[in-house]
Amino acid sequence: MWPLSPSHTGLQRMDYQLDTLEHDNLGSTVYQLLCNDLLQGRLQPGARLKIRELAEQLGTSVTPVRDAILRLVQEQALAMQSPRDIRVPHMTVERYLEIRAIRIRLEGLAAETAANKAEPAAIARLEDIVQRNAVAMAAQDIALGCALNQQFHFALVDIAGLPFLHGILYRIWLQMGPLIAAVYQQGGSAMLDYHYPVLQAMRQRDGAAAALAIGDDILSGGQAILLHLQARQRAG
Amino acid sequence: MWPLSPSHTGLQRMDYQLDTLEHDNLGSTVYQLLCNDLLQGRLQPGARLKIRELAEQLGTSVTPVRDAILRLVQEQALAMQSPRDIRVPHMTVERYLEIRAIRIRLEGLAAETAANKAEPAAIARLEDIVQRNAVAMAAQDIALGCALNQQFHFALVDIAGLPFLHGILYRIWLQMGPLIAAVYQQGGSAMLDYHYPVLQAMRQRDGAAAALAIGDDILSGGQAILLHLQARQRAG
DNA sequence: GCAGCAAATATGATGCATCATAATTTGATG
DNA sequence: CATCAAATTATGATGCATCATATTTGCTGC
């Protein structure tokens, strides 16, 4: 890891602007780092995080790290198993099924809204993501495939113009990140196939079809995840 | 206000147990207090919060208050308009419409699931809330009416057995709290009427009807809120 | 050698000193 | 009296000392 800021207490000014004028203090920066670690599978389920250790690695004091970890604990992307034991939580089958039902409703809303207002540029953007995903799959680049899969889903939300929904879904994905990475790093990944019907519905500006297609993606594409969870739960 | 704990650094042990073994540090306690202030309209849109001031009122140091406020800023129940200016944000029409669409999907899921598994005890619980709400309305107790309205909606989620959804909806309601309180304190409140069809669908274990009914509640019952927002937006 | 207790260590929680900077006040100047 | 700049104040951000306690280690006595 690298120190966040060479100067004593200077803030790291980021080049991109967040939706809601997020004032980038150190805590938010650490939060973003940890989010990426979660989404890209660098933090695996069961992994323990220590505030002091992270602070040292990042070259900050404990305060910003504590801020970031508390945020992630709040939204249950991390869990405090005991008062001094902060870990990446394991997903349960029940929780996954609940999240799946929620995602079908919310991402269905996003897909429907996006399809109803799909402009050519938006379609092109989705096609680009899908095509790059196909390349990644052909090259067996699983990490890139996962990232592009995620990009596809969030592109729908952005095209729909629903920033509030984006936040909700981001927090949901934050909890699935370690799981998805764990599943796909050890096995098959057929997540791309189900994106083509979505694309087709978008081209036809058929909101209902798009919602159905994204629901099928979540159900069928996530089948491997469900099987993995059920196997793990049986094993103990 | 009152000091959170008489002893020096003693934690306030709460009698109820939160869902996910939330370890009640001072920050979480302050967070709960601020949430209640938001949901019950004691913090109105535009109100400014100062960390030191709150810390003094609560009898703690700034750290737990900062933790709590940062949590609320993260989930956009508070907004940092400038780096030193933390306020209860004003709702916009666009944001409200987006939230409304999301609520219809999510609370529809809750109502549907709840109706499909509605046991007599669950029905009785809902009837009790509605009946107490009717009493409150007759007595023109608007604050109690709002609280019971909220209880009704969250009771559906609890009956459905969807704890994860509960968290998502709680954060959404946190953002609507100041708005709802502001609207209903200055005008009509016809929010109870639309609960009876929900109750009827629950009794018949008709999930689809329950989802439609709660959607109608959100749309029609929230009409006053939308009109209020549109009027305020025109005014400037 | 092992049970059990004590010391040391680890770690999150809390309080607080200090910093940087934005807002406000004040006072000199014209 | 108006204006503008310097000083003061206010306030969130950061770093860090200290606390409480859970965990680990290690020593003692049997």
Side-chain angles (χ1 to χ4, degrees):
Chain A
M1 294 277 184
W2 33 274
L4 282 181
S5 74
S7 67
H8 183 225
T9 115
L11 296 183
Q12 169 124 337
R13 190 144 297 279
M14 313 194 92
D15 288 338
Y16 59 88
Q17 190 77 11
L18 270 67
D19 265 2
T20 54
L21 266 195
E22 175 155 346
H23 299 287
D24 50 348
N25 47 19
L26 268 183
S28 295
T29 308
V30 176
Y31 173 81
Q32 299 282 349
L33 286 175
L34 291 177
C35 281
N36 286 336
D37 285 351
L38 283 170
L39 288 174
Q40 295 173 21
R42 281 193 295 271
L43 283 173
Q44 303 213 345
R48 184 171 180 191
L49 289 88
K50 299 177 186 179
I51 291 180
R52 282 175 172 82
E53 190 177 288
L54 272 172
E56 193 179 5
Q57 286 176 350
L58 297 173
T60 74
S61 77
V62 297
T63 306
V65 177
R66 184 168 178 272
D67 287 350
I69 284 187
L70 247 49
R71 282 171 69 168
L72 289 165
V73 168
Q74 175 202 5
E75 57 199 17
Q76 301 180 12
L78 297 177
M80 297 189 52
Q81 313 233 337
S82 84
R84 323 290 173 87
D85 192 5
I86 300 169
R87 290 176 184 274
V88 180
H90 287 279
M91 180 73 71
T92 65
V93 172
E94 296 74 30
R95 191 177 194 74
Y96 179 73
L97 290 177
E98 185 181 347
I99 287 180
R100 192 177 72 173
I102 293 169
R103 281 188 61 201
I104 289 174
R105 309 293 173 122
L106 292 186
E107 299 196 27
L109 169 62
E112 182 182 324
T113 309
N116 286 336
K117 67 162 66 170
E119 299 160 15
I123 305 271
R125 179 177 162 201
L126 289 175
E127 283 172 337
D128 178 57
I129 293 174
V130 168
Q131 198 241 323
R132 280 191 290 153
N133 201 341
V135 171
M137 301 292 285
Q140 299 203 323
D141 188 340
I142 292 177
L144 182 57
C146 283
L148 285 168
N149 175 53
Q150 186 187 327
Q151 275 185 37
F152 182 84
H153 285 263
F154 279 97
L156 288 176
V157 184
D158 292 338
I159 291 168
L162 300 171
F164 187 80
L165 181 57
H166 190 112
I168 294 177
L169 285 172
Y170 187 78
R171 285 190 282 272
I172 291 178
W173 278 74
L174 220 45
Q175 299 192 31
M176 299 195 312
L179 173 66
I180 292 178
V183 170
Y184 281 105
Q185 270 165 18
Q186 71 171 220
S189 59
M191 53 191 166
L192 181 56
D193 297 344
Y194 301 97
H195 286 183
Y196 291 106
V198 179
L199 216 42
Q200 188 62 20
M202 293 283 294
R203 290 196 195 95
Q204 297 172 342
R205 291 172 161 256
D206 186 339
L212 282 176
I214 205 72
D216 188 46
D217 176 45
I218 293 170
L219 279 176
S220 305
Q223 191 63 21
I225 295 174
L226 184 57
L227 290 174
H228 173 269
L229 280 180
Q230 286 169 335
R232 211 180 60 79
Q233 195 142 321
R234 270 196 304 277
Chain B
M1 295 276 182
W2 34 271
L4 280 181
S5 73
S7 66
H8 183 225
T9 117
L11 296 182
Q12 169 124 337
R13 191 146 295 279
M14 312 196 94
D15 288 339
Y16 58 88
Q17 190 77 13
L18 270 68
D19 265 3
T20 55
L21 264 195
E22 175 154 347
H23 299 287
D24 49 348
N25 46 20
L26 268 183
S28 295
T29 308
V30 176
Y31 174 81
Q32 298 283 349
L33 286 175
L34 291 178
C35 282
N36 286 337
D37 286 351
L38 283 170
L39 288 174
Q40 295 172 22
R42 283 193 295 272
L43 282 174
Q44 304 213 346
R48 185 173 178 191
L49 289 87
K50 300 178 185 178
I51 291 180
R52 282 175 172 83
E53 189 177 288
L54 272 171
E56 192 179 7
Q57 286 175 350
L58 297 173
T60 73
S61 77
V62 296
T63 306
V65 177
R66 183 168 179 273
D67 288 350
I69 285 187
L70 247 48
R71 281 172 71 168
L72 288 165
V73 168
Q74 177 202 5
E75 57 199 18
Q76 301 179 12
L78 298 178
M80 295 189 52
Q81 313 233 336
S82 83
R84 323 288 172 89
D85 192 5
I86 299 170
R87 292 177 183 273
V88 180
H90 287 280
M91 180 73 71
T92 65
V93 172
E94 297 74 30
R95 190 176 194 74
Y96 179 74
L97 291 177
E98 184 180 347
I99 287 180
R100 192 176 73 172
I102 293 169
R103 280 188 61 201
I104 288 174
R105 308 292 173 125
L106 291 186
E107 299 196 28
L109 169 62
E112 182 182 325
T113 310
N116 287 336
K117 67 162 63 170
E119 298 162 13
I123 305 270
R125 179 178 163 199
L126 289 175
E127 284 172 336
D128 178 57
I129 293 174
V130 168
Q131 198 242 321
R132 281 191 290 153
N133 201 340
V135 172
M137 300 291 285
Q140 298 201 325
D141 187 341
I142 293 177
L144 183 58
C146 282
L148 286 167
N149 176 52
Q150 184 186 329
Q151 275 185 38
F152 182 84
H153 285 264
F154 279 98
L156 289 177
V157 185
D158 292 338
I159 292 168
L162 300 171
F164 187 79
L165 181 58
H166 189 112
I168 294 177
L169 285 172
Y170 186 78
R171 285 189 282 273
I172 291 178
W173 277 74
L174 220 45
Q175 300 192 31
M176 300 195 310
L179 172 66
I180 292 178
V183 171
Y184 280 105
Q185 270 165 17
Q186 71 172 217
S189 59
M191 54 193 167
L192 181 56
D193 297 343
Y194 301 97
H195 286 182
Y196 291 106
V198 179
L199 216 43
Q200 188 62 20
M202 294 283 294
R203 289 196 195 94
Q204 297 172 342
R205 291 171 162 258
D206 187 340
L212 281 176
I214 204 73
D216 188 46
D217 176 44
I218 293 170
L219 279 176
S220 305
Q223 192 62 21
I225 295 174
L226 185 57
L227 290 175
H228 174 269
L229 280 180
Q230 286 170 335
R232 211 180 59 81
Q233 195 143 320
R234 270 196 305 274

